[in-house]
Amino acid sequence: MMKPSLWGLKKSPWVYHVALSPCNNCDIEILDVLTPRFDVERFGVKLVGSPRHADALLVTGSINRHVLPRFVELYRQTAKPCVVFAVGSCALSSSMFRDSYNIVGPLDKVMKEIDPAAIVAYVPGCPPKPEAIIAGVVKALKAL
Amino acid sequence: MVIGYFFISVAVVLILGMATSWVDRKVTALVQARVGPPWYQPVADVAKLLGKEMLVPETSRAMGFALAPVAGFAAACVAGAILLGMLITGREFAGDLIVLVYLLAVPSVSMIIGACASGNPVSVVGASREMKMLLAYELPMLIVLVTTVFRAGGDFRIARLVAHQQAEGWMLLSASGVIGFIVALVSIQAKLGLVPFDAPEAEQEIMGGVMAEYSGPALALFRLTKMMLLCMLPVLMGVLFLGGFRMRGWDILWSVLKYMAVVVPLVLIRNTNPRLRVDQITRFFWGPMTVLALAGLALAALKV
């Protein structure tokens, strides 16, 4: 028997879009996911305007020193339990910017320092297709 | 006994409210040519929010911040018990319509208090908009209420309104009734914070506005309050203009049709209009809507 709150979390994940210095391609794909064509409201997914309401943070971009403190703040403002999604190659591995002077590293390394217990899911691609993002969300929710 | 009726009425309002909010989202989805959420979506939303942690911001006044959603929810429960209790059991008291109008304003006030206590500038902007909107839509709404009561013989009892309409036909079937119905429908749209009038919660400009700092169970309470209002206000419209609801035999189907005849226009207005600025909303309600409501009152005095 699943706990009602966990069942609710799986059936209504509200997402908050966190852009940490991306090139905007992943962001455009995320917006595509939210259009009527893909209709993620079928799964209860809704875009919310405040991290307080969010159950999933969709993080895009290679994380640099400038946005890191903002992201730490934002993660602390999010009501737990929540899932952090690394969307796109940059969030996964810092991609081709990894040797740059201002990069602090991929999202999972950063998350380990902020909160070792955080749940991080990965959606690879440059940018990932909307279908790939939906598949990633479904897999992450199954693993909860 | 009374407590039993209270809990039954509140449960009925909650279930109806959740079902209505699903209808709202499903019709919205159909308008946008999508499939939309499954029927259990509102239950899942609330179950999830109740299981999440509640964050209290450092800059907030914790007491007001935590108590505001409880106050709003309590007022909605009592309003539901008065309205549904009257419809189910026939219990009533002198002036229950006045009490109901006051109770239905409390959720908006509690939202203002909660937002002001949260210490977030964006929330405070939302609260100030909510306050202006409350002042704006209450005026034509109250004139319409007075008009209907005047036509039913000047008694502020919900049961009296229903009895009058059952004796002499629906309020809607007269010139003043049609005007009143239109004005009340638009005012209800604003009271529910649906799209042309959702300036206090504008997601794109002020990040959820009055709700911006709420999370977990407190947000769940606010959402439940909204759902209960989404159920009660159409019921109130049905009582005022469509001859009330009878809950026996085939009349149940007829009652559901009446209820949907109020809910679906609300959803369609919400899906076909852009958001207004708060000054436009105030001008709209204090200008054309109030004039229209006064015209309805004048027509009612002429017995048209």
Side-chain angles (χ1 to χ4, degrees), chain A:
Chain A
M1 183 66 188
M2 207 190 288
K3 269 173 66 185
S5 57
L6 184 60
W7 171 78
L9 191 62
K10 286 186 180 198
K11 294 295 177 192
S12 95
W14 292 354
V15 299
Y16 182 77
H17 182 182
V18 191
L20 301 177
S21 55
C23 70
N24 265 192
N25 266 316
C26 294
D27 306 82
I28 291 168
E29 295 303 314
I30 286 174
L31 292 185
D32 286 349
V33 173
L34 300 165
T35 53
R37 185 177 180 82
F38 294 96
D39 188 21
V40 280
E41 207 187 1
R42 283 177 296 164
F43 314 118
V45 176
K46 218 171 79 169
L47 187 71
V48 291
S50 162
R52 303 267 190 217
H53 305 177
D55 309 299
L57 301 175
L58 296 180
V59 180
T60 60
S62 50
I63 303 160
N64 64 30
R65 287 180 211 290
H66 195 66
V67 296
L68 182 63
R70 273 101 178 151
F71 177 59
V72 174
E73 183 76 27
L74 210 143
Y75 180 75
R76 293 203 175 125
Q77 284 179 342
T78 310
K80 312 290 176 303
C82 75
V83 187
V84 183
F85 283 93
V87 178
S89 303
C90 287
L92 256 66
S93 64
S94 299
S95 193
M96 66 185 187
F97 305 105
R98 70 171 182 274
D99 294 327
S100 181
Y101 67 97
N102 61 347
I103 293 295
V104 286
L107 180 72
D108 49 356
K109 191 181 131 206
V110 171
M111 284 309 300
K112 254 185 205 127
E113 282 163 27
I114 304 173
D115 177 9
I119 307 163
V120 187
Y122 308 90
V123 183
C126 185
K129 279 183 163 189
E131 292 92 331
I133 297 174
I134 294 173
V137 172
V138 170
K139 279 183 188 166
L141 291 176
K142 270 191 188 154
L144 271 178

Side-chain angles (χ1 to χ4, degrees), chain B residues 134-144 183 187 285-286 290 293:
Chain B
L134 183 69
L135 293 175
Y137 66 69
E138 285 289 348
L139 179 64
M141 184 77 196
L142 289 179
I143 295 174
V144 168
V183 174
S187 305
F285 278 109
W286 282 353
T290 304

Side-chain angles (χ1 to χ4, degrees), chain B residues 108 133-134 136-145 179-194 197 233 237 266 269 281 284-286 289-290 293:
Chain B
S108 304
M133 237 172 67
L134 183 69
Y137 66 69
E138 285 289 348
L139 179 64
M141 184 77 196
L142 289 179
I143 295 174
V144 168
L145 273 180
I179 291 175
F181 186 80
I182 294 169
V183 174
L185 196 72
V186 177
S187 305
I188 279 178
Q189 188 90 9
K191 205 171 183 65
L192 291 166
L194 297 178
F197 312 112
L233 292 171
M237 288 285 282
L266 288 177
I269 295 172
I281 295 173
F284 176 67
F285 278 109
W286 282 353
M289 282 296 122
T290 304

Side-chain angles (χ1 to χ4, degrees), chain B residues 126-156:
Chain B
S128 95
R129 290 181 183 184
E130 177 83 38
M131 211 182 302
K132 282 163 203 153
M133 237 172 67
L134 183 69
L135 293 175
Y137 66 69
E138 285 289 348
L139 179 64
M141 184 77 196
L142 289 179
I143 295 174
V144 168
L145 273 180
V146 168
T147 311
T148 53
V149 168
F150 176 66
R151 289 199 52 204
D155 195 353
F156 280 90

